[in-house]
């Protein structure tokens, strides 16, 4: 049996998903690694464009088409599924949107997979090969350490493009539980770790020299998580092939000089930290307790990253109930003064099956409700709800202005020079220059 694994990408993604590199859709590489022997598998990733997807499906001789979709890609996923039905190809959709809206999804495809599907995926393949694909499959939060799951088929590249970097996951889950975030619903609140030996083996096998470690919370929130992270970093230093990499963490990592020094020695040059806002009430609304506790210490914690040589990639969300049209510019200027090296500003976006989506729906504040067509607007670069202290258009325009300013050559060069001054690391400054120049 031949299987096509597809990552559908929305057409309206200008700004958020368009950076100067191509990052793997790791979930598809993980599923490819779990395909039972005797079956062939191809990846089609629409980050490289949508033009050839249907023609490749028509000519590829596939027996099963499996799609994964974020909410913004759901509309496009349904278009592909409709094309598959015309071609007589069985289809299944999984991923975050399918788990949030399974009843909607199943009306467009032959089968829907809910939750993490590592353990159930081989059964899906066997059922499809036998012609008895079930309408619904339920995955679960696997024990990654004892099952050995989470390994990706690193060498498998899409048939419609080539990734510039590699992606690896060392853990799943996030205990923070932000109101707007779908991670805790999809991957759970407990951080589940892979075996360090498995991570090192995959790390050394990837042909790419730059890696995005896609963990939603690389460091964690407690001492046990921190000690495991440091154990992994020591293993990477001792046994891992030299790689440059970045990951995602919470601000409290800035309080652990040992972990940061180990991360730098292991090749880390940047950490994406979700600051979200400098407003205490907005952090309370977001249910982001770790940031509320550390808000007054942001500058000190940023310096902790810098002293270790690591750049701070700051994520900020504009659109909380206290925000005004001036908040976007004020946030960017405050972040720059604190020394944040890379500044990512996104529109507050209520994803389905999150507490924020449910709250705004109850309050009658959702604007993009023509589903499934309007899912394509949930891209983090468009306001899809009614803010309290401005119009949706005012918020869009305010964020557009700061994004536009942030890609000017003067801004990009100044950020890199300041990073060099703060971190005393040329490789970190070059990482910051490349990332800031790549944002579009």
């Amino acid at each position: 049996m031949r299987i096509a694994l597809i990552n559908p990408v929305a057409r309206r993604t200008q700004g958020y998903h368009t950076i100067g590199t191509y990052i793997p859709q790791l979930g598809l590489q993980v599923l490819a690694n779990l395909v039972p022997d005797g079956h062939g598998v191809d990846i089609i990733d629409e980050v490289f464009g949508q033009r050839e997807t249907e023609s490749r499906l028509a000519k590829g001789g596939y027996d099963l088409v499996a799609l994964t979709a974020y909410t913004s890609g759901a509309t496009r996923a349904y278009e592909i599924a409709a094309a598959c039905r015309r071609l007589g190809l069985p289809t299944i959709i999984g991923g975050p949107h399918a788990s949030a809206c399974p009843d909607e999804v199943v009306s467009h495809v032959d089968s829907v997979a809910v939750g993490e599907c590592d353990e159930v995926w081989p059964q899906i393949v066997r059922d499809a090969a036998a012609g008895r694909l079930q309408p619904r499959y339920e995955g679960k939060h696997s024990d990654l350490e004892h099952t050995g799951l989470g390994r990706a088929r690193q060498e498998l590249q899409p048939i419609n493009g080539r990734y510039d970097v590699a992606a690896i996951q060392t853990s799943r889950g996030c205990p923070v539980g932000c109101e707007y975030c779908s991670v805790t619903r999809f991957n759970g609140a407990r951080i589940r770790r892979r075996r360090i030996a498995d991570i090192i083996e995959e790390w050394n096998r990837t042909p790419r020299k730059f890696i995005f470690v896609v963990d939603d919370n690389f460091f964690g929130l407690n001492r046990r998580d921190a000690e495991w992270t440091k154990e992994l970093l020591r293993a990477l230093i001792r046994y891992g092939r030299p790689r440059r990499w970045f990951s995602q963490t919470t601000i409290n990592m800035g309080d652990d000089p040992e972990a940061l020094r180990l991360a730098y020695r292991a090749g880390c040059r940047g950490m994406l930290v979700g600051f979200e806002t400098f407003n205490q009430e907005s952090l309370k609304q977001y249910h982001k307790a770790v940031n509320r506790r550390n808000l007054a210490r942001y500058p000190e914690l940023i310096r902790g990253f810098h002293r270790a040589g690591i750049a701070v990639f700051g994520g900020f969300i504009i659109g909380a109930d206290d925000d005004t049209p001036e908040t976007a510019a004020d946030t960017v200027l405050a972040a720059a003064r604190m020394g944040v090296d890379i500044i990512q500003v996104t529109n507050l976006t209520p994803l389905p099956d999150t507490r924020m989506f449910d709250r705004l729906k109850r309050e009658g504040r959702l604007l993009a409700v023509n589903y499934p067509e309007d899912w394509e607007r949930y891209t983090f670069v468009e306001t899809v709800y009614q803010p309290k202290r401005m119009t949706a258009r005012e918020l869009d325009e305010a964020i557009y202005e700061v994004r536009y300013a942030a890609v000017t050559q003067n801004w990009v060069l100044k950020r890199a020079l300041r990073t060099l001054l703060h971190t005393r690391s040329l490789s970190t400054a070059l990482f910051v220059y490349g990332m800031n120049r790549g944002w579009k």
Side-chain angles (χ1 to χ4, degrees):
M1 188 170 71
R2 285 182 53 77
I3 303 167
L5 301 174
I6 302 180
N7 176 38
V9 173
R11 286 167 288 259
R12 303 169 64 117
T13 54
Q14 57 271 27
Y16 185 68
H17 298 275
T18 48
I19 59 175
T21 191
Y22 293 106
I23 298 173
Q25 217 305 332
L26 184 64
L28 296 185
Q29 290 182 321
V30 169
L31 291 183
N33 190 59
L34 294 170
V35 170
D37 292 341
H39 304 286
V41 60
D42 290 330
I43 292 176
I44 300 173
D45 194 335
E46 291 196 334
V47 71
F48 299 103
Q50 301 175 336
R51 191 162 50 100
E52 300 178 3
T53 300
E54 281 86 348
S55 63
R56 287 183 180 273
L57 290 173
K59 300 174 185 177
Y62 296 110
D63 304 289
L64 175 66
V65 176
L67 302 101
T68 185
Y70 297 111
T71 290
S72 62
T75 309
R76 174 59 182 157
Y78 299 154
E79 292 178 358
I80 296 172
C84 289
R85 280 187 170 174
R86 291 193 295 271
L87 293 168
L89 302 178
T91 58
I92 182 169
I93 296 182
H97 187 78
S99 298
C101 306
D103 294 335
E104 172 195 280
V105 171
V106 78
S107 66
H108 295 272
V109 291
D110 300 294
S111 180
V112 59
V114 178
E116 293 182 13
C117 291
D118 306 66
E119 293 191 50
V120 74
W121 172 243
Q123 185 61 50
I124 293 172
V125 174
R126 287 191 289 269
D127 287 351
R132 56 170 185 264
L133 195 65
Q134 303 300 305
R136 181 164 173 153
Y137 293 88
E138 296 279 351
K140 64 179 183 179
H141 294 154
S142 302
D143 183 332
L144 302 179
E145 182 179 6
H146 292 98
T147 62
L149 294 171
R151 182 193 304 259
R153 190 170 163 186
Q154 291 286 338
E155 75 283 357
L156 183 63
Q157 293 287 314
I159 60 174
N160 62 329
R162 288 292 179 270
Y163 297 128
D164 299 319
V165 302
I168 285 178
Q169 189 170 51
T170 76
S171 69
R172 293 180 189 168
C174 182
V176 179
C178 301
E179 187 193 30
Y180 52 79
C181 186
S182 61
V183 170
T184 303
R185 290 287 184 96
F186 185 67
N187 295 122
R190 183 174 66 87
I191 296 180
R192 292 166 289 129
R193 309 285 189 180
R194 292 177 60 197
R195 287 194 293 253
I196 289 178
D198 290 347
I199 297 168
I200 298 297
E201 191 276 332
E202 184 178 345
W203 185 277
N204 291 339
R205 187 161 44 84
T206 176
R208 305 299 174 187
K209 294 183 178 180
F210 194 89
I211 295 175
F212 176 27
V213 180
V214 304
D215 300 34
D216 290 289
N217 195 328
F218 181 79
F219 185 69
L221 296 181
N222 57 49
R223 181 174 296 180
R224 185 178 67 176
D225 288 337
E227 290 306 315
W228 186 94
T229 301
K230 286 183 270 194
E231 184 182 355
L232 169 64
L233 293 170
R234 292 187 190 101
L236 286 173
I237 293 167
R238 187 171 182 179
Y239 303 111
R241 294 178 64 184
R243 297 282 190 263
R244 294 285 186 257
W245 57 277
F246 81 103
S247 189
Q248 305 172 122
T249 192
T250 35
I251 187 63
N252 57 302
M253 189 176 182
D255 242 349
D256 195 320
E258 181 186 18
L260 291 167
R261 286 195 300 268
L262 289 170
Y264 184 85
R265 287 181 58 198
C268 178
R269 292 300 180 263
M271 280 286 179
L272 194 160
V273 177
F275 292 93
E276 323 311 358
T277 178
F278 297 120
N279 184 303
Q280 184 73 247
E281 286 303 311
S282 296
L283 289 173
K284 184 178 180 180
Q285 176 191 330
Y286 293 160
H287 295 273
K288 193 142 191 176
V290 62
N291 285 31
R292 291 179 63 200
R293 291 193 299 268
N294 290 290
L295 180 57
R297 300 182 60 227
Y298 275 3
E300 175 189 351
L301 296 172
I302 291 169
R303 287 193 294 271
F305 285 91
H306 286 163
R307 279 193 295 269
I310 295 174
V312 176
F313 187 151
F316 296 89
I317 299 172
I318 311 297
D321 288 347
D322 274 357
D323 288 350
T324 68
E326 291 73 37
T327 301
D330 292 345
T331 298
V332 170
L333 292 174
R337 285 194 295 267
M338 285 186 186
V340 177
D341 304 278
I342 305 161
I343 300 173
Q344 177 196 75
V345 178
T346 58
N347 299 56
L348 181 64
T349 302
L351 297 173
D353 200 34
T354 62
R355 287 176 292 170
M356 178 167 286
F357 183 92
D358 294 341
R359 176 172 64 84
L360 294 177
K361 184 178 180 180
R362 286 195 307 270
E363 296 172 1
R365 293 170 59 189
L366 294 176
L367 300 176
V369 294
N370 181 30
Y371 309 128
E373 288 81 3
D374 274 353
W375 291 131
E376 196 165 36
R377 299 171 60 186
Y378 285 65
T379 58
F380 303 94
V381 296
E382 179 182 354
T383 305
V384 294
Y385 70 102
Q386 178 55 59
K388 278 200 170 179
R389 303 184 63 187
M390 57 188 140
T391 66
R393 183 184 179 91
E394 285 174 329
L395 177 54
D396 285 342
E397 290 178 348
I399 294 179
Y400 176 82
E401 287 176 1
V402 297
R403 284 203 190 105
Y404 184 80
V407 297
T408 62
Q409 184 61 26
N410 284 344
W411 171 270
V412 170
L413 185 58
K414 285 179 180 178
R415 301 315 306 156
L417 291 174
R418 288 192 61 170
T419 298
L420 181 60
L421 178 66
H422 291 153
T423 66
R424 300 182 183 278
S425 170
L426 179 59
S427 56
T428 300
L430 291 173
F431 165 73
V432 167
Y433 179 78
M435 289 297 289
N436 278 324
R437 189 180 63 174
W439 287 109
K440 300 176 183 177

